[in-house]
Amino acid sequence: MVKEMPSRDQVQVEETWNLVDLFKTEDDFEVALKEIEITSSEFNKRFKGSIQIASDVGEALHEYTKIYEKIVPAGAFASLSLSTDQTNTDAQMRASKFGSLSAKVSSQLSFLNSELVELPDNIIEEAISKFPTHQLYLEKLLKKKKYQLHPEVEKTLAAYSASFGAPYKLYDTTKMLDISFDNFEVNGQEYPLSYVSFENDWEAESDPEKRRAAFDAFSKKLREYQHTTAKTYDMHLQMEKTTSDLRGYSSIYDYLLFNQDVDRSLYNRQIDLISKELAPHMRRYAKLLQKEHGLDKMTFADLKVSLDPEFEPKISVEESKKYIDDALSVMGEEYIDMVNRAYDERWIDFPQNVGKSTGAFCSSPYGSHPYILISWSSRMNEVFVLAHELGHAGHFYYANKEQNIFNARPSLYFIEAPSTMNEMLVANHLLKNSDDPKFKRWVISSIVARTYYHNFVTHLLEAAYQRKVYDRIDKGLNVNAQILNDYKRSVLEEFWGDTVEITEGAELTWMRQPHYYMGLYPYTYSAGLTISTQVSKRILEEGQTAVDEWTEVLKAGGTKSPIELAQMAGVDITTDEPLKDTIAYIGSLIDELESLTEEINQNA
């Protein structure tokens, strides 16, 4: 049974992350903020109006880089401390203080890009040849040149940067502070409910009465906040549309895909192909769940249940370390050392507590080590989640060491490849180590339910819904709760057909996902998993050669486009083949689940 959530001061300190590695004391953080403010002001006085020749460009970018290397850890400290307890007023004020400073500093520094794009191309080319560490930054700037606005407009927009981030903060505040879930009742017994307990426990509860009752109670409470949440989201969308129009992009899609360094055809292909070709496989999986659980009907509330919940082992934080070490050992000694340090040096925040952000994420502040947030439920599938976040950690552990702060981060299109790669390595390791049909079925169902369902279905359906929203916004229209509910329901019904009943409340799923405030992010999960599926097959077949090539990809950071990074790993994403092959692979996993289930039932 799910227990009442403890407050942050009641959790075990050794299971929390250690932010002291960023700043030892609050005073140190305050000193850093003051230093950022002073150095930014000095930078403005020294360089504004004075960048004339290539050597000026190199000198200015060198100093600019040093400022950003101070801003990043301060921003991480503010956001990470808030993410573990959004009820903490000190953390709220700290985050607000950093946001205000960040807006002020951005305004002071905005002149740099404005003046650089006004320089003759030959001076920029000379600067690139003289200062190769700044090549990528300058090349990206030249690509953005036609979308750059008047310097005073850029300065004003930068000054409002904290306000532009307000809808996301408002969404988070509503979600984590204002929404308080009531207990729900089944057969006279009351059970506690929260965002974290629903997504980590009740969604996967094996008892259908409790699972469906939790879903109904959860949806009922969400519905009370649908209009505020929709208005918040619409504010965000209208700001994106206005920015797109002001800068002269042909569409909001061109604006949002620009920094991903991919064209719209790759975006549309990912959504269209999966929606069409994966749906039949996933409907078979839904029918298998329904049959094995003896359900009268398959509803949306039943889709996250484990195929064999009685077999799924419970696992402690300490036990997870051995599984992950064994599975990721193929990546080599340095990589495993990073994983062990993550546990030993408290880079990971494990507890479930009131006010903690939902889901899981990895933050990798430049100049420090990565930090991972997860709400440990003791379910074995959390090993896949943790491996996923350690994939992000490993990626930036390498990239931040090898590249400068502006070269380390790759396109959003590629960002989920290293994370989903680790999920595949965990799955491959578990499959290699047992011939027991029940264990094999559990592993394969975990791959389907956790790795592929989450990344190829949940996020893909978010992307399909998001595309409907942006099609509307691009026409100059607004959205409200009813429109968003209708869009979400239509996407779910189209994918699941008559196999799954899209029960009342399923249409509110759009309210649960912060990714909508991060541009065209949801589709990149399936894009990354397409790449990692192909590379994990190479690692299984070719061993060290494929591992070495993948390590070089991680080290490259953002110095190459997603197409080039995939090519380095032996995958050609300019064609449909990797995606079609991945969908076929998912189909083969479901084939195997069906045959293993038949074998198990015959021997029962």
Side-chain angles (χ1 to χ4, degrees):
M1 189 183 107
V2 178
K3 296 178 181 177
E4 289 282 1
M5 201 74 68
S7 60
R8 184 66 179 179
D9 59 7
Q10 294 174 316
V11 303
Q12 295 181 19
V13 173
E14 58 269 25
E15 291 191 352
T16 65
W17 56 25
N18 182 17
L19 297 184
V20 169
D21 292 346
L22 288 170
F23 293 97
K24 285 187 168 57
T25 66
E26 193 70 29
D27 286 344
D28 290 341
F29 175 67
E30 294 290 339
V31 167
L33 295 190
K34 195 67 185 170
E35 193 177 341
I36 290 166
E37 189 173 11
I38 292 168
T39 53
S40 299
S41 177
E42 290 173 348
F43 180 89
N44 182 284
K45 290 173 186 172
R46 179 179 171 190
F47 290 104
K48 188 174 182 181
S50 302
I51 303 173
Q52 308 291 333
I53 58 176
S55 59
D56 296 335
V57 174
E59 191 177 354
L61 284 176
H62 178 71
E63 295 303 317
Y64 186 67
T65 299
K66 289 199 290 188
I67 292 172
Y68 263 87
E69 285 175 353
K70 293 173 183 172
I71 291 173
V72 166
F77 185 74
S79 66
L80 292 176
S81 57
L82 182 62
S83 66
T84 54
D85 185 5
Q86 296 189 49
T87 67
N88 185 306
T89 53
D90 289 340
Q92 292 170 13
M93 292 303 102
R94 188 184 300 121
S96 296
K97 186 171 187 177
F98 175 80
S100 299
L101 174 70
S102 179
K104 181 179 179 181
V105 167
S106 295
S107 184
Q108 286 182 322
L109 302 179
S110 67
F111 76 88
L112 178 64
N113 287 348
S114 297
E115 292 191 14
L116 289 177
V117 296
E118 292 300 318
L119 291 172
D121 287 357
N122 66 305
I123 290 179
I124 296 294
E125 286 160 10
E126 185 185 347
I128 287 172
S129 66
K130 282 187 173 179
F131 308 101
T133 55
H134 301 311
Q135 177 178 346
L136 187 65
Y137 186 92
L138 291 169
E139 286 176 347
K140 284 183 177 178
L141 196 61
L142 288 177
K143 285 182 186 177
K144 277 188 174 177
K145 188 171 184 175
K146 64 179 178 178
Y147 304 116
Q148 193 80 3
L149 301 173
H150 186 278
E152 286 305 311
V153 178
E154 293 290 351
K155 181 180 178 182
T156 304
L157 288 174
Y160 276 103
S161 59
S163 300
F164 293 150
Y168 180 25
K169 291 175 184 174
L170 181 57
Y171 163 80
D172 236 12
T173 301
T174 304
K175 178 179 176 180
M176 299 311 303
L177 296 184
D178 284 347
I179 299 182
S180 179
F181 293 92
D182 303 320
N183 292 350
F184 66 95
E185 188 178 307
V186 178
N187 296 325
Q189 173 96 31
E190 282 201 350
Y191 300 93
L193 182 65
S194 67
Y195 242 112
V196 172
S197 70
F198 178 74
E199 295 189 341
N200 282 37
D201 293 294
W202 291 122
E203 258 193 321
E205 167 63 41
S206 57
D207 183 334
E209 276 195 86
K210 292 178 187 173
R211 184 173 65 247
R212 291 173 179 179
F215 179 84
D216 290 343
F218 185 77
S219 300
K220 181 182 177 184
K221 182 57 68 171
L222 285 188
R223 184 169 279 105
E224 293 175 15
Y225 292 83
Q226 62 179 322
H227 300 295
T228 301
T229 307
K231 179 55 71 176
T232 302
Y233 184 36
D234 188 55
M235 285 165 51
H236 172 78
L237 293 166
Q238 297 308 323
M239 282 193 276
E240 287 182 320
K241 173 62 175 168
T242 301
T243 305
S244 169
D245 290 346
L246 278 176
R247 292 194 177 280
Y249 287 91
S250 300
S251 74
I252 197 166
Y253 291 102
D254 295 323
Y255 164 59
L256 294 170
L257 287 171
F258 185 88
N259 285 333
Q260 292 190 22
D261 208 9
V262 294
D263 62 38
R264 200 166 164 183
S265 66
L266 266 70
Y267 166 73
N268 284 326
R269 180 178 70 194
Q270 208 70 23
I271 298 171
D272 293 337
L273 207 58
I274 297 176
S275 297
K276 179 184 174 186
E277 298 195 9
L278 183 62
H281 296 308
M282 294 311 298
R283 290 174 190 176
R284 283 195 294 126
Y285 176 67
K287 285 177 180 174
L288 183 61
L289 284 177
Q290 181 183 356
K291 183 181 176 184
E292 283 304 288
H293 283 272
L295 299 174
D296 56 333
K297 59 184 177 181
M298 191 67 183
T299 75
F300 184 78
D302 302 317
L303 285 168
K304 295 290 183 75
V305 68
S306 171
L307 185 59
D308 188 0
E310 290 181 9
F311 189 82
E312 182 169 5
K314 292 286 184 182
I315 185 165
S316 68
V317 166
E318 189 55 41
E319 288 168 335
S320 72
K321 186 170 182 287
K322 177 164 175 35
Y323 277 103
I324 286 177
D325 273 357
D326 290 348
L328 302 185
S329 62
V330 67
M331 289 297 296
E333 192 175 324
E334 184 181 4
Y335 197 96
I336 288 299
D337 179 62
M338 182 276 301
V339 170
N340 290 334
R341 286 182 64 199
Y343 279 90
D344 299 340
E345 298 175 18
R346 290 174 49 208
W347 299 1
I348 308 169
D349 198 86
F350 289 101
Q352 294 188 28
N353 61 262
V354 173
K356 186 171 178 177
S357 292
T358 60
F361 67 74
C362 176
S363 173
S364 299
Y366 194 87
S368 185
H369 57 72
Y371 284 91
I372 291 169
L373 179 140
I374 188 171
S375 294
W376 194 257
S377 66
S378 297
R379 292 181 186 272
M380 183 65 179
N381 81 311
E382 293 293 328
V383 173
F384 286 88
V385 179
L386 186 52
H388 178 105
E389 300 307 334
L390 283 165
H392 288 306
H395 188 186
F396 288 103
Y397 179 80
Y398 281 123
N400 287 351
K401 280 203 329 185
E402 298 289 329
Q403 309 296 338
N404 70 41
I405 195 168
F406 295 118
N407 289 6
R409 192 170 185 82
S411 157
L412 201 60
Y413 185 93
F414 191 83
I415 210 83
E416 295 298 337
S419 54
T420 51
M421 162 63 87
N422 277 13
E423 293 189 53
M424 297 305 299
L425 293 178
V426 169
N428 290 340
H429 169 73
L430 291 173
L431 280 174
K432 271 195 314 185
N433 283 278
S434 178
D435 290 324
D436 176 58
K438 276 206 156 195
F439 185 80
K440 281 185 74 173
R441 182 175 71 164
W442 173 77
V443 174
I444 294 168
S445 66
S446 295
I447 302 170
V448 173
R450 161 58 218 171
T451 301
Y452 285 108
Y453 186 101
H454 187 68
N455 299 300
F456 251 72
V457 179
T458 299
H459 291 314
L460 185 278
L461 295 180
E462 288 167 2
Y465 152 83
Q466 191 182 40
R467 187 168 62 175
K468 285 178 180 284
V469 171
Y470 278 121
D471 282 347
R472 182 178 178 87
I473 297 301
D474 215 29
K475 294 172 185 171
L477 301 172
N478 293 70
V479 294
N480 60 24
Q482 187 59 56
I483 290 166
L484 296 175
N485 289 343
D486 289 346
Y487 283 170
K488 188 64 184 179
R489 176 170 284 280
S490 69
V491 165
L492 293 172
E493 288 176 342
E494 187 178 342
F495 186 83
W496 292 110
D498 58 8
T499 304
V500 177
E501 181 182 303
I502 307 303
T503 40
E504 193 72 22
E507 73 281 359
L508 298 169
T509 309
W510 64 268
M511 294 177 65
R512 294 165 54 184
Q513 186 52 270
H515 290 163
Y516 301 133
Y517 295 84
M518 304 172 191
L520 297 175
Y521 186 20
Y523 92 101
T524 65
Y525 279 85
S526 62
L529 185 51
T530 299
I531 295 167
S532 62
T533 298
Q534 302 306 310
V535 179
S536 67
K537 285 183 178 181
R538 283 196 62 212
I539 289 175
L540 273 178
E541 293 163 8
E542 300 171 34
Q544 196 60 45
T545 301
V547 170
D548 291 344
E549 289 179 4
W550 184 242
T551 303
E552 290 306 308
V553 171
L554 301 182
K555 290 178 179 179
T559 58
K560 298 185 182 299
S561 72
I563 290 172
E564 292 168 330
L565 289 170
Q567 282 173 341
M568 284 176 68
V571 183
D572 183 4
I573 59 170
T574 64
T575 72
D576 290 356
E577 189 179 346
L579 182 52
K580 283 180 173 287
D581 184 63
T582 300
I583 293 170
Y585 174 65
I586 299 170
S588 72
L589 291 175
I590 295 168
D591 289 341
E592 196 164 355
L593 282 180
E594 289 174 331
S595 62
L596 282 167
T597 299
E598 191 176 334
E599 179 188 343
I600 291 164
N601 289 342
Q602 283 175 352
N603 295 331

